Amino acid sequence: MSQTSETEGLQARRRSMTRRAKDFSVLVGTAGMVLLVLVLTGSLGWIEALSGIFVIGSVASAYYVGSASLKTGGGDVVSVAASTPDSVLTTDLLAALPLPAFEVSRDQQRIVAYNEPAASFLRLGPRRSAPPRASVIIRTPALLAAIETCLAAPEGVSSSLELEIGPDEHWRAHIHSVRASDSLLVLLEDLTPVKRAARARADFLANASHELRTPLTAISGFIETMRGPAREDKDSWDRFLAIMAGETERMSRLIADLLSLSRIESTEHMLPTAREHFADIVMNSVDALLPLASDRGVELVVEGAEDLPDVTANWDELVQVAENLISNAIKYSGTGSRVVVHCGVAADGFEARSLAAQLWEGSERMTLLQTPNRVAVNELNVWMRVEDQGPGIEREHLPRLGERFYRADQSRGGKITGTGLGLAIVKHIMTHHRGGLAVETRIGEGTAFGVWLPAAKDAPPD
Ligand SMILES: Nc1ncnc2c1ncn2[C@@H]1O[C@H](COP(=O)(O)OP(=O)(O)O)[C@@H](O)[C@H]1O
Ligand SMILES: [Mg+2]
C-alpha cells in the first residue's frame, strides 16, 4: 500500500510544482512588461521601475519558494498520503479479521497489504522492501486466475469461488473490488472442517442404512419364501423363523447402539459428576456377562477389583464400556478359553496405559485414545484390562479400531455378528471421562483392551 501512495504522492508533487512554475513566469513576465511600458512612456522613472521589479520579484520568489519547500518536504506528503484514513483503515481491518485476507493493487498487481493468517496461507516470509507480485506469491492457479480476471474487469466486479488445495483441504475465496483504493480485497474462508463433517455424516448415514438394510433384506427374503416356494413345507418354517428372529435381534442391537452413540455424543461436552465405585462397575458388568460366557464355553474371571478408588463417572456409560470390551473378548475367543478382567490403580495416565495395555512382550500395540496431557500427568488413574486368548487382531486393523462400523473380522467370513459400533461407543465414553483406550495383541495368542480414567479427587479414606 505504501508503494502506491508513494507514487501517487510523487505525481501530485510534480503537478503542483509545474503549476507554480507557470504562475511564477506569468506573474514576473506580466509585471516586467507593465513596468517596461511605463518606463518607455515616461510615466515611471528608472529608480521606481527597479524598485517595482524588486518587490514583484520578491513576492513571486516567495510564492515559488512555497512550492520549493513542498519539494524538500516531499517525504511528508508521501507519509500523509500513506496514512490517509482509507489506507490505515484497510491495514487495521485486515489485522482485525480472523480469516486470511489480503489486498492486491490494481495497477501493479502486487500484494500491498495482508494480515497474519494470510501470511501463513500464502507462506509469506519476513516482510520484504517491496510488496510482492501476486503472480509470484499465489500458488493456487484457480485463485490467481480469478484475481487476474477481477483485475482485468471493470471496477466493482466481485467473485467467489471454491478452491481444492490438496486432497482434504477446501477453501472459499471471496474477491471484492475496492473502489477507494483501486485494489482488490481477497478474503479466504477455510471450508475443510465443514466438508469433513459433511462427509463423515454422509458416510455414517450410508453405513447405518446399509447395516439396517442387510437384515431387513434377509427377513423379507424369508417371508417371500414362506409365502411362495415353501408355503407347504411347514417343517422348514421353524428354521426360517429362527433366522428371521436372529436378524430382527441384529437390527434392534444396531438401533440400540446407534441410539446410545447419539446420546453419548449429545452429552459429550458435559463432564460426568457422579461419584461411583469403579470396582462395582466392573463387577456388575462381569455378572451381566456370565451367562454369555457360559453359553460360549468361556471362563470369565476378575482380578484386582478390590480397594480401587472411586471415579467421577456416568455409571451406565462405564458399564457399557466394560460390557462392550468383555463381550468382544468372549465373542472373539473360542470355546474353552479364558477371559480375564484385571483392574488396578496407577500414579498417572501413562502408567495406567502401560499396566492396562502394554504388558505382553512382542505384542502389537496401539493407543486408540490418549488422555489429555494435563490430565494424564500427576493424576491418580484407575484402569481395567480385558484380556482374551482369541485369534488376535492383524496389525493393519489396529489404527481403525474405534471407527464407526469398522470390523476387523469381516474377511473371516463374518460368522460372528456385530454392529461394528462397540469400540466407537467405548472411545466416545472414554473421551467423555477424560480417559484413554489402548489395545495390544499377538496373532494366534490373544488380545487385551485397556481403558483408564482419573480417579475421583479427595477420595475419602475407606
Ligand atoms: N477381543 C477381540 N479379539 C479380536 N478381535 C476383536 C476383539 N475386540 C474387537 N475386535 C475386532 O474389532 C472389531 C470392532 O469391534 P466392535 O466395535 O466391538 O464391533 P463388533 O460389533 O463387530 O463387535 C470387531 O469386529 C473385531 O473384528
Ligand atoms: Mg463389539
Side-chain angles (χ1 to χ4, degrees), residues 324 327-328 331-332 418-423:
N324 268 311
S327 68
N328 275 353
K331 252 183 359 182
Y332 297 107
T419 60
L421 290 172
L423 290 177

Side-chain angles (χ1 to χ4, degrees), residues 123-346:
R123 295 197 208 109
L124 280 167
R127 285 189 186 274
R128 307 139 194 256
S129 48
R133 279 196 174 278
S135 56
V136 175
I137 294 299
I138 297 170
R139 296 180 191 87
T140 314
L143 177 59
L144 188 60
I147 290 175
E148 281 169 353
T149 310
C150 281
L151 284 170
E155 271 188 48
V157 169
S158 297
S159 82
S160 165
L161 73 154
E162 260 188 42
L163 306 167
E164 202 176 322
I165 305 169
D168 190 26
E169 204 184 333
H170 301 265
W171 290 81
R172 190 196 303 281
H174 304 273
I175 306 170
H176 192 78
S177 183
V178 185
R179 217 181 295 259
S181 53
D182 198 22
S183 59
L184 293 183
L185 185 62
V186 183
L187 273 167
L188 293 153
E189 190 187 348
D190 192 357
L191 299 181
T192 313
V194 182
K195 293 259 177 192
R196 219 177 271 166
R199 202 175 49 233
R201 210 166 32 240
D203 285 355
F204 177 71
L205 273 177
N207 277 325
S209 329
H210 172 79
E211 294 294 326
L212 282 169
R213 205 172 48 202
T214 313
L216 208 55
T217 312
I219 293 168
S220 58
F222 282 111
I223 292 173
E224 286 303 303
T225 314
M226 289 165 79
R227 278 175 159 177
R231 182 189 282 269
E232 304 305 328
D233 183 10
K234 303 279 189 231
D235 295 345
S236 58
W237 278 29
D238 269 354
R239 194 164 48 87
F240 294 158
L241 285 171
I243 298 172
M244 285 162 74
E247 294 297 315
T248 316
E249 208 179 295
R250 182 173 160 194
M251 278 177 76
S252 52
R253 225 176 19 236
L254 186 65
I255 289 165
D257 277 357
L258 284 171
L259 284 175
S260 65
L261 202 56
S262 89
R263 199 175 43 242
I264 296 157
E265 270 187 335
S266 65
T267 57
E268 209 165 49
H269 56 283
M270 291 183 287
L271 280 177
T273 50
R275 193 186 184 95
E276 306 288 1
H277 297 308
F278 189 65
D280 288 354
I281 292 174
V282 176
M283 290 315 298
N284 241 274
S285 318
V286 169
D287 287 346
L289 287 164
L290 280 172
L292 177 71
S294 75
D295 253 19
R296 305 269 173 133
V298 172
E299 186 191 357
L300 176 59
V301 289
V302 186
E303 283 178 12
E306 311 91 27
D307 299 331
L308 289 178
D310 288 350
V311 285
T312 310
N314 179 313
W315 172 278
D316 289 339
E317 289 189 4
L318 283 195
V319 165
Q320 225 177 331
V321 166
E323 287 191 0
N324 268 311
L325 296 182
I326 300 168
S327 68
N328 275 353
I330 297 171
K331 252 183 359 182
Y332 297 107
S333 35
T335 309
S337 68
R338 196 175 137 95
V339 169
V340 187
V341 182
H342 298 270
C343 308
V345 57

Side-chain angles (χ1 to χ4, degrees), residues 3-4 7 104-112 131-134 151:
Q3 174 103 12
T4 322
T7 321
V104 182
S105 68
R106 192 178 281 279
D107 55 350
Q108 297 206 13
Q109 312 198 350
R110 288 177 188 272
I111 297 177
V112 288
R133 279 196 174 278
L151 284 170

Side-chain angles (χ1 to χ4, degrees), residues 420-443:
L421 290 172
L423 290 177
I425 291 173
V426 168
K427 198 171 161 182
H428 266 291
I429 295 175
M430 293 320 294
T431 308
H432 188 199
H433 285 78
R434 302 181 306 148
L437 167 68
V439 58
E440 70 174 322
T441 181
R442 288 187 296 198
I443 296 301

